[in-house]
Amino acid sequence: MRSLNKLKILNDPIYGFITIPNSLIFDLIQHKYFQRLRRITQMGMSYLVYPGAHHTRFHHAIGCMHLMQKAVNVLRFKGVNISEDEETALYCAILLHDIGHGPFSHAMEHSIVSDVSHEEISLIFMQRLNEEFNGSLTLAIEIFKGDYHRKFLCQLISGQIDMDRADYLKRDSFYTGVAEGNINSERLITMLNVIDDNLVVEEKGIYSIEKFIIARRLMYWQVYLHKTSLVAEQLLIRVLKRAKELNKDGVIIKASEPFLYFLNNKITLNNFNNEIIEIFSKLDDYDIISAMKQWQDHPDFVLRSLCNMIINRDLLKIKVKKKPIKEAILEKHKNEIINTYNITEKEAEYFVFSGSMSNQAYQLNTKGINILHKSGKIEDIVKASDQLNLKALSKPVTKYYICYPKQKL
């Protein structure tokens, strides 16, 4: 049998050619668990606002691995010792950091399973793959969990200036066309260094970091927390909630087998075994879209209406305020829909609801972004910068929203 050439090159619209560094990475990319990420949208329902935002978790994971290769080269050039095993572990960990995302990424994170984060599911996938790959991912898992003694390696995977953020801001900006998020990831990475086992940014990179933090704030308000994608994601959560409710009451719900499994069973971290990870690995955006297309004609008014809204992009009206929504306003809209459609108050709550969203561009804590001055002094970006806004950006800003039907459902 002809041996497979595993040193492939991929063409990426953001970075150009990306090389696959070794055969282990190639085999992980080829694995069905990773290939599933081609069917998981990176930005949930954002494509209803930005038509180009159809890129997937697969794109993002490959991009992160490419940036990690750059980071390893830069740090080695500056005299930081990174062994071959550590290098491979970094590539594996960043490649698989999002493998636990469910359909539509964050939109359905706590709906398919109960109180299990995508990071916890990613870890279960990595442990499963480690068994299959004869322990090759042991070090990658240690770094991913933050247990490895060389802290800067963990910071490259998960920190305030990690390869994950360096890719998704640039990538999401490209695919949405929102220029404000277009950071210079390559320059940021070139400015990285390691002091006392912690990741730092050299002083000349200070303006790139300022741009990075401001870009993050703008992308959250303009893209990730855009009111239209917010209401679409809330509707998606409610579709699932209603389907589970009807299913529990014995109403026939048609869906794919993996989707039905999660509708029928309450899955928590305690019962997330190998059998369930296998079923979860068969679940993606296509299952949800396909089910909603069927449910558009379901006899249940609530399920039918919610699915029609998402499929045909005829969403609820959403208003964003600076203060919490008054109960009286909610009641007014609820009563209107109860009287118009002769439904119960519980059913009306699927169409009239309020909530809040919060944006904190930078967290001022021990895991902040540290600037290395030429004198050798290290200080937090907020203190090092003359950009007065950075302190303000480290405070969370909360906005409140109310959703209710337009004229007719």
Side-chain angles (χ1 to χ4, degrees), residues 203-238:
E203 188 179 357
K204 55 192 171 192
I206 201 163
Y207 302 118
S208 300
I209 295 294
E210 286 175 359
K211 167 96 193 308
F212 169 78
I213 293 171
I214 291 164
R216 196 161 178 265
R217 175 185 178 270
L218 294 172
M219 283 294 283
Y220 266 85
W221 285 135
Q222 230 174 308
V223 178
Y224 308 128
L225 297 174
H226 188 289
K227 63 178 190 173
T228 306
S229 41
L230 185 80
V231 71
E233 289 186 1
Q234 286 298 323
L235 287 170
L236 192 58
I237 289 164
R238 281 159 175 76

Side-chain angles (χ1 to χ4, degrees), residues 58-262:
F58 183 90
H59 291 120
H60 167 59
I62 298 282
C64 289
M65 182 203 66
H66 171 72
L67 292 183
M68 189 63 85
Q69 287 174 277
K70 297 262 179 201
V72 167
N73 290 338
V74 163
L75 293 175
R76 277 184 175 156
F77 179 74
K78 291 178 183 179
V80 179
N81 180 35
I82 299 171
S83 71
E84 270 187 39
D85 286 349
E86 287 170 337
E87 179 186 4
T88 299
L90 277 174
Y91 299 156
C92 293
I94 198 69
L95 189 73
L96 303 175
H97 79 284
D98 272 345
I99 200 168
H101 266 295
F104 292 102
S105 293
H106 293 284
M108 304 185 80
E109 187 157 340
H110 297 290
S111 305
I112 298 279
V113 290
S114 302
D115 300 318
V116 189
S117 69
H118 74 271
E119 289 93 349
E120 289 168 319
I121 300 173
S122 291
L123 187 57
I124 296 167
F125 267 121
M126 286 166 83
Q127 286 161 340
R128 183 79 192 83
L129 285 165
N130 198 28
E131 291 168 22
E132 214 172 299
F133 284 83
N134 303 319
S136 309
L137 301 178
T138 305
L139 184 54
I141 290 168
E142 207 179 323
I143 293 171
F144 179 78
K145 286 164 75 177
D147 292 344
Y148 193 57
H149 66 279
R150 303 190 77 191
K151 290 298 165 201
F152 78 92
L153 296 177
C154 309
Q155 288 162 2
L156 286 166
I157 305 285
S158 177
Q160 290 207 61
I161 185 165
D162 56 28
M163 298 307 107
D164 176 30
R165 288 182 183 185
D167 180 79
Y168 79 63
L169 283 173
K170 195 169 177 65
R171 188 169 298 278
D172 296 350
S173 157
F174 176 86
Y175 280 98
T176 55
V178 176
E180 286 81 357
N182 187 12
I183 56 161
N184 190 344
S185 348
E186 309 249 343
R187 177 166 169 80
L188 279 174
I189 290 166
T190 306
M191 295 299 132
L192 291 178
N193 209 329
V194 174
I195 300 288
D196 295 334
D197 211 35
N198 279 302
L199 210 56
V200 293
V201 179
E202 289 164 1
E203 188 179 357
K204 55 192 171 192
I206 201 163
Y207 302 118
S208 300
I209 295 294
E210 286 175 359
K211 167 96 193 308
F212 169 78
I213 293 171
I214 291 164
R216 196 161 178 265
R217 175 185 178 270
L218 294 172
M219 283 294 283
Y220 266 85
W221 285 135
Q222 230 174 308
V223 178
Y224 308 128
L225 297 174
H226 188 289
K227 63 178 190 173
T228 306
S229 41
L230 185 80
V231 71
E233 289 186 1
Q234 286 298 323
L235 287 170
L236 192 58
I237 289 164
R238 281 159 175 76
V239 163
L240 207 67
K241 185 183 171 192
R242 185 61 174 176
K244 281 183 174 179
E245 209 171 80
L246 293 170
N247 201 40
K248 200 175 170 187
D249 293 343
V251 176
I252 293 172
I253 295 284
K254 288 182 180 173
S256 68
E257 277 186 36
F259 192 13
L260 275 177
Y261 182 86
F262 288 98

Side-chain angles (χ1 to χ4, degrees), residues 35-63:
Q35 288 293 318
R36 165 185 167 270
L37 296 183
R38 291 181 186 272
R39 304 186 298 279
I40 305 283
T41 314
Q42 168 78 5
M43 292 178 65
M45 305 301 287
S46 294
Y47 67 87
L48 292 177
V49 183
Y50 298 102
H54 273 291
H55 55 303
T56 65
R57 289 274 154 193
F58 183 90
H59 291 120
H60 167 59
I62 298 282

